[in-house]
């Protein structure tokens, strides 16, 4: 456990390194920060922090830089001290994000863009899986007497559609009746429940071949969209960071992040934090070696199983206070009312 003074020295060293991306010397800390102690005392504290593994000295004549342990201690202190609580204007930003979109896809895109602007890092918003979404409405749109489009709207604003064909002509009135039957039964159920219920139904409504055909198309439609879909903004911001000026440092990260399924596994915060608390993985704490040079801050949004993930990925030298607050704001905007 670090003393208050050592925590303060570590915090200002990290603040300076985040801003300048250059090793920090004791003179810089003494001149730029009101630490209330002599430069000799600051040097002693830096030596202690280095020996304890919180900072390191890349070159003998250079200043110090934080280690993953140093960043971890800094982040834990931020979280313990409530540094990411609501601030003035945060609620207005949440409401502005919500009002800027009429559908979930637009809101996810807006949230991802806002995250990238607020953090100057790579921002990622992962949509909830279709199987966990609650069905709000099913609509059947007749294209001809042998073709129609089935549209499934979920409670969280996702919209899925699939074109279907009939072996025999189907009048629009008959299609409307099928639509009414399906909405009466399936509205308010999850997509997973739709499939399970359909497999066990045998009453006279669902024994109707047309009704069964439409149900099969609904299940197929939801299955088509039941993969992780991520909205990424800000890869260019990541590439501009001095840590990734060499392509050899950035390419392994891009290779890991381009696969949505892998990305969802990496970003899933459930194993690291309680519901509502952000997950922070720093450098070597990440599950893959390719991400050892970045930090990942992620949080879930939504309710129960119908949840997605908001995340920011940047160098370990990220502004953790700003990123934690931005992730919290974005997840609040995406939470269900």
């Amino acid at each position: 456990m670090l003393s208050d003074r050592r925590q303060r020295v570590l915090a200002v060293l990290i603040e300076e390194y985040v801003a300048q991306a250059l090793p920090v010397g004791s003179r810089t800390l003494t001149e730029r920060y009101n630490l209330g102690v002599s430069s000799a005392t600051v040097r002693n504290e830096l030596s202690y922090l280095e020996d304890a593994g919180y900072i390191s000295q890349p070159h003998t004549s250079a200043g110090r830089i934080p280690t993953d342990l140093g960043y971890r201690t800094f982040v834990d202190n931020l979280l313990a001290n409530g540094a990411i609580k609501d601030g003035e204007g945060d609620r207005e930003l949440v409401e502005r994000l919500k009002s800027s979109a009429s559908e979930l896809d637009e809101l996810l895109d807006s949230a991802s863009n806002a995250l990238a602007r607020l953090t100057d890092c790579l921002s990622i918003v992962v949509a909830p899986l279709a199987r966990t979404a609650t069905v709000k409405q099913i609509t059947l749109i007749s294209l001809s007497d042998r073709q129609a489009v089935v549209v499934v709207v979920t409670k969280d604003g996702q919209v899925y559609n699939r074109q279907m064909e009939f072996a025999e002509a189907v009048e629009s009135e008959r299609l409307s009746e099928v639509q009414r039957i399906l909405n009466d039964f399936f509205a308010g159920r999850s997509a997973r429940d739709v499939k399970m219920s359909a497999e066990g139904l045998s009453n006279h409504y669902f024994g109707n071949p047309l009704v069964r055909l439409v149900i099969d198309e609904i299940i197929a439609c939801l299955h088509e969209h039941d993969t992780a879909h991520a909205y990424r903004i800000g890869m260019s911001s990541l590439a501009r960071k001095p840590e990734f000026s060499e392509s050899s440092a950035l390419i392994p990260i891009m290779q890991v992040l381009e696969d949505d399924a892998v990305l969802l596994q990496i970003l899933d915060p459930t194993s690291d934090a309680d519901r509502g608390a952000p997950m922070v993985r720093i450098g070597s704490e990440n599950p893959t070696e390719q991400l050892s040079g970045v930090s990942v801050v992620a949080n879930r949004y939504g309710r129960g199983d119908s949840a997605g993930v908001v995340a920011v990925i940047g160098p370990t030298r990220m502004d953790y206070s700003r990123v934690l607050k931005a992730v919290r704001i974005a997840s609040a905007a995406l939470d269900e009312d």
Side-chain angles (χ1 to χ4, degrees), residues 159-200:
V159 180
Y160 308 121
N161 63 81
R162 179 181 170 92
Q163 188 169 321
M164 58 184 299
E165 296 185 0
F166 310 116
E168 300 177 354
V170 177
E171 296 178 355
S172 58
E173 292 79 5
R174 191 178 172 201
L175 209 57
S176 296
E177 177 62 15
V178 172
Q179 175 180 299
R180 184 193 64 77
I181 293 170
L182 295 178
N183 276 301
D184 286 347
F185 193 85
F186 289 126
R189 296 173 182 253
S190 72
R192 184 189 291 116
D193 291 339
V194 169
K195 182 176 181 180
M196 292 177 63
S197 299
E199 290 173 349

Side-chain angles (χ1 to χ4, degrees), residues 48-196:
Y48 175 89
L49 291 171
E50 183 177 357
D51 291 341
Y54 294 95
I55 60 177
S56 65
Q57 193 170 23
H59 306 290
T60 304
S61 60
R64 274 86 165 190
I65 63 174
T67 63
D68 289 352
L69 176 61
Y71 286 124
R72 167 50 59 193
T73 303
F74 177 71
V75 168
D76 288 347
N77 286 335
L78 281 179
L79 295 174
N81 295 329
I84 61 168
K85 290 181 179 178
D86 287 354
E88 186 176 349
D90 290 353
R91 188 69 243 170
E92 290 80 359
L93 179 55
V94 170
E95 293 304 322
R96 192 158 65 248
L97 279 172
K98 285 185 175 181
S99 63
S100 69
S102 59
E103 294 182 359
L104 183 64
D105 279 351
E106 295 175 4
L107 183 54
L108 295 177
D109 188 58
S110 295
S112 185
N113 274 285
L115 266 178
R117 290 196 304 272
L118 289 169
T119 65
D120 193 33
C121 291
L122 172 63
S123 72
I124 301 172
V125 179
V126 182
L129 294 176
R131 81 170 75 102
T132 62
T134 300
V135 175
K136 178 180 180 181
Q137 182 178 328
I138 296 170
T139 303
L140 300 175
I141 303 172
S142 178
L143 300 178
S144 70
D145 59 0
R146 291 179 181 270
Q147 287 185 319
V149 174
V150 56
V151 181
V152 181
V153 180
T154 64
K155 186 179 179 182
D156 60 15
Q158 298 184 83
V159 180
Y160 308 121
N161 63 81
R162 179 181 170 92
Q163 188 169 321
M164 58 184 299
E165 296 185 0
F166 310 116
E168 300 177 354
V170 177
E171 296 178 355
S172 58
E173 292 79 5
R174 191 178 172 201
L175 209 57
S176 296
E177 177 62 15
V178 172
Q179 175 180 299
R180 184 193 64 77
I181 293 170
L182 295 178
N183 276 301
D184 286 347
F185 193 85
F186 289 126
R189 296 173 182 253
S190 72
R192 184 189 291 116
D193 291 339
V194 169
K195 182 176 181 180
M196 292 177 63

Side-chain angles (χ1 to χ4, degrees), residues 240-261:
R240 286 195 297 269
K241 304 299 182 185
E243 292 88 341
F244 308 117
S245 58
E246 298 291 334
S247 60
S248 59
L250 186 61
I251 289 175
I253 298 171
M254 295 177 65
Q255 289 173 337
V256 171
L257 301 182
E258 67 184 5
D259 187 321
D260 281 354

Side-chain angles (χ1 to χ4, degrees), residues 2-19 24 29 33 35 46 49 54-55 66 70-71 73-75 77-78 81 318-320:
L2 292 176
S3 66
D4 289 344
R5 186 167 69 195
R6 286 169 179 163
Q7 285 186 23
R8 171 64 176 157
V9 171
L10 177 62
V12 296
L13 183 143
I14 290 176
E15 181 180 338
E16 184 69 18
Y17 185 61
V18 166
V24 182
L29 297 182
Y33 298 91
L35 296 174
L46 290 175
L49 291 171
Y54 294 95
I55 60 177
Y71 286 124
T73 303
F74 177 71
V75 168
N77 286 335
L78 281 179
N81 295 329
M318 66 164 57
D319 185 338
Y320 289 95

